[in-house]
Amino acid sequence: MIQVLVAGAAGRMGREVVSAVHAADGLEVAACVDPAACEVMPGAGQGDPYICEPSLAEAIKRSCPDVMVDFTRPDSVEENLRTALAAGVDCVVGTTGLSEERLAAILAAERQDPDTCLFFAPNFAVGAVLMMQFAERAARYMPHAEVIEMHHDAKLDAPSGTAVRTARMIAAAREGSPHAPGPETAVAGFEGARGAWGAENEGPAIHSVRLPGFVAHQEVVFGGLGQTLTIRHDSIDRKGFMPGVVLACREVGSRKGLIVGLEKLMG
């Protein structure tokens, strides 16, 4: 039985993770941690006595988990990773806001056991992974592209991790960076209307929308001579992320090092 600690257990994603782990064969909730909701019962939907603890370090020491699943905040995930990795706990991370380079640096600094794994996925929905892969393929033939991502208004980071990864995949797949109007075309007083461009300025522009009513949505729009192609994925319920989270919890113990992207576990 794989023992799973859920960090951020009282949040919207955290509660879904607790329920999904509880219901999954071969997985068991070892502890729930959420300093902002101490003593709150995240609830697995079946009256289970899970109660949020305030201290990750103490929860790890008490419960001896195999895996930590982190859906917290960009300003707390790094410290959580350092604590878990130093204790030899494999990590499954859905919190965005840290670059792949930063994740690699944290793993190198804190890992005590060379077999410990840090797995990060910008998106745990299978459909979102397919959307990124389809966009990567399309970029070889239609290099002009822009990314529009839409999330709920409580999401703290912009652009989303999914959008950043999609842009990087498109940039790597196409030959060179096609000319497109950049930020310099914005009307004075409306800078940013053309979206955000990566520091290397090789990826497509990314536009972020934050509004109530959205969960997680993204479309990649390609333009060519006399035609456009739009590839879109919509997450309409957070339950759609849970099969990917459960898969990661089951697989991370047999992997090591830094792994980025759910597709690495999908075969």
Side-chain angles (χ1 to χ4, degrees):
M1 189 72 74
I2 300 172
Q3 300 295 314
V4 181
L5 180 151
V6 182
R12 284 174 288 189
M13 281 294 290
R15 289 175 184 268
E16 293 291 349
V17 173
V18 171
S19 296
V21 169
H22 175 80
D25 293 337
L27 302 183
E28 184 174 26
V29 178
C32 296
V33 175
D34 200 318
C38 183
E39 301 299 322
V40 169
M41 297 180 67
Q46 301 178 23
D48 308 288
Y50 304 131
I51 299 177
C52 289
E53 304 177 42
S55 170
L56 176 60
E58 300 218 352
I60 290 175
K61 184 177 180 180
R62 177 190 60 77
S63 63
C64 300
D66 301 302
V67 182
M68 177 188 75
V69 177
D70 188 293
F71 280 96
T72 57
R73 297 165 55 95
D75 58 359
S76 59
V77 61
E78 179 169 344
E79 186 60 33
N80 289 349
L81 289 175
R82 291 185 181 279
T83 300
L85 291 169
V89 179
D90 293 321
C91 298
V92 172
V93 182
T95 307
T96 56
L98 294 179
S99 67
E100 293 182 28
E101 294 77 16
R102 188 61 185 158
L103 290 170
I106 294 169
L107 180 65
E110 302 298 340
R111 180 173 57 174
Q112 305 299 313
D113 183 344
D115 291 331
T116 304
C117 180
L118 169 52
F119 173 78
F120 167 71
N123 199 309
F124 281 88
V126 172
V129 173
L130 295 175
M131 175 265 298
M132 289 186 277
Q133 292 180 331
F134 296 157
E136 180 182 38
R137 183 173 183 182
R140 304 174 195 169
Y141 307 100
M142 300 181 72
H144 293 271
E146 300 202 7
V147 179
I148 306 168
E149 57 97 350
M150 297 146 282
H151 282 78
H152 55 89
D153 57 331
K155 184 171 177 60
L156 297 178
D157 57 321
S160 69
T162 301
V164 172
R165 181 160 177 79
T166 303
R168 287 180 172 177
M169 292 170 70
I170 290 172
R174 62 190 185 183
E175 295 182 2
S177 300
H179 173 73
E184 71 278 0
T185 65
V187 175
F190 291 89
E191 290 78 7
R194 287 289 299 120
W197 297 69
E200 65 278 0
N201 207 30
E202 293 180 355
I206 300 175
H207 309 263
S208 296
V209 177
R210 298 289 178 268
L211 288 173
F214 284 120
V215 177
H217 316 259
Q218 179 172 294
E219 59 184 41
V220 187
V221 184
F222 294 88
L225 184 61
Q227 61 178 327
T228 63
L229 169 66
T230 300
I231 302 172
R232 178 175 175 126
H233 176 262
D234 296 280
S235 289
I236 55 177
D237 192 303
R238 290 175 177 82
K239 289 182 173 59
F241 300 114
M242 293 306 109
V245 173
V246 169
L247 173 63
C249 288
R250 288 176 172 155
E251 290 289 327
V252 72
S254 62
R255 313 295 177 107
K256 60 183 178 180
L258 176 63
I259 301 176
V260 176
L262 189 64
E263 67 276 7
K264 306 286 179 54
L265 307 183
M266 289 170 58

